[in-house]
């Protein structure tokens, strides 16, 4: 029998803010821009790399601007959980990423 995915309704407004997973931080802004940084590499938010993001139903897309070239690297995820405290998504290889809301 085919696996049935629970249809979750994603409210993109819930994404707005700062999320943390381990030492990784992602900030999502209302205008569809964002920043990400790894505190373990002693990187502060001001030095973070920039990306833009969109949500279409449960498809979560990050478009990362490469620093050395003008290339845009798209990364797509399926959001599996999103509420006021938790953001979880998985990539095309089935890797799951879970974040907690910081602010």
């Amino acid at each position: 029998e085919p696996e049935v995915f629970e249809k979750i309704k994603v409210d993109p407004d819930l994404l707005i803010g700062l999320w943390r997973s381990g030492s990784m931080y992602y900030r999502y802004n209302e205008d569809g821009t964002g920043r990400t940084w790894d505190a373990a590499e002693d990187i502060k938010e001001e030095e973070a790399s920039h990306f833009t993001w969109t949500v279409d139903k449960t498809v979560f897309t990050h478009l990362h601007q490469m620093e050395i070239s003008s290339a845009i690297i798209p990364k797509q995820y399926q959001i599996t959980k999103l509420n006021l405290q938790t953001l979880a998504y998985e990539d095309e290889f089935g890797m799951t990423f879970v974040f907690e809301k910081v602010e």
Side-chain angles (χ1 to χ4, degrees):
E1 293 187 10
E3 193 176 343
V4 178
F5 284 101
E6 180 190 349
K7 287 285 174 234
I8 67 163
K9 176 102 175 70
V10 172
D11 178 357
D13 289 344
L14 289 174
L15 284 164
I16 308 306
L18 181 61
W19 297 85
R20 181 179 74 85
S21 178
S23 63
M24 287 299 303
Y25 288 85
Y26 280 83
R27 179 179 296 284
Y28 298 101
N29 301 315
E30 285 182 47
D31 64 359
T33 62
R35 294 190 208 171
T36 179
W37 67 98
D38 186 347
E41 294 177 8
D42 206 25
I43 296 174
K44 309 266 187 294
E45 183 171 359
E46 305 79 63
E47 309 156 325
S49 54
H50 293 253
F51 64 92
T52 57
W53 61 274
T54 57
V55 172
D56 181 18
K57 297 187 173 66
T58 60
V59 178
F60 192 22
T61 305
H62 290 183
L63 296 171
H64 291 270
Q65 172 76 53
M66 297 309 292
E67 290 176 26
I68 40 181
S69 69
S70 58
I72 302 281
I73 307 295
K75 295 186 177 176
Q76 269 199 341
Y77 307 99
Q78 275 295 338
I79 295 178
T80 54
K81 183 174 186 178
L82 176 60
N83 58 37
L84 291 171
Q85 297 87 29
T86 307
L87 163 63
Y89 52 78
E90 58 183 44
D91 67 14
E92 59 195 305
F93 308 108
M95 279 277 302
T96 299
F97 304 86
V98 181
F99 293 82
E100 64 178 352
K101 193 147 208 183
V102 180
E103 61 182 52

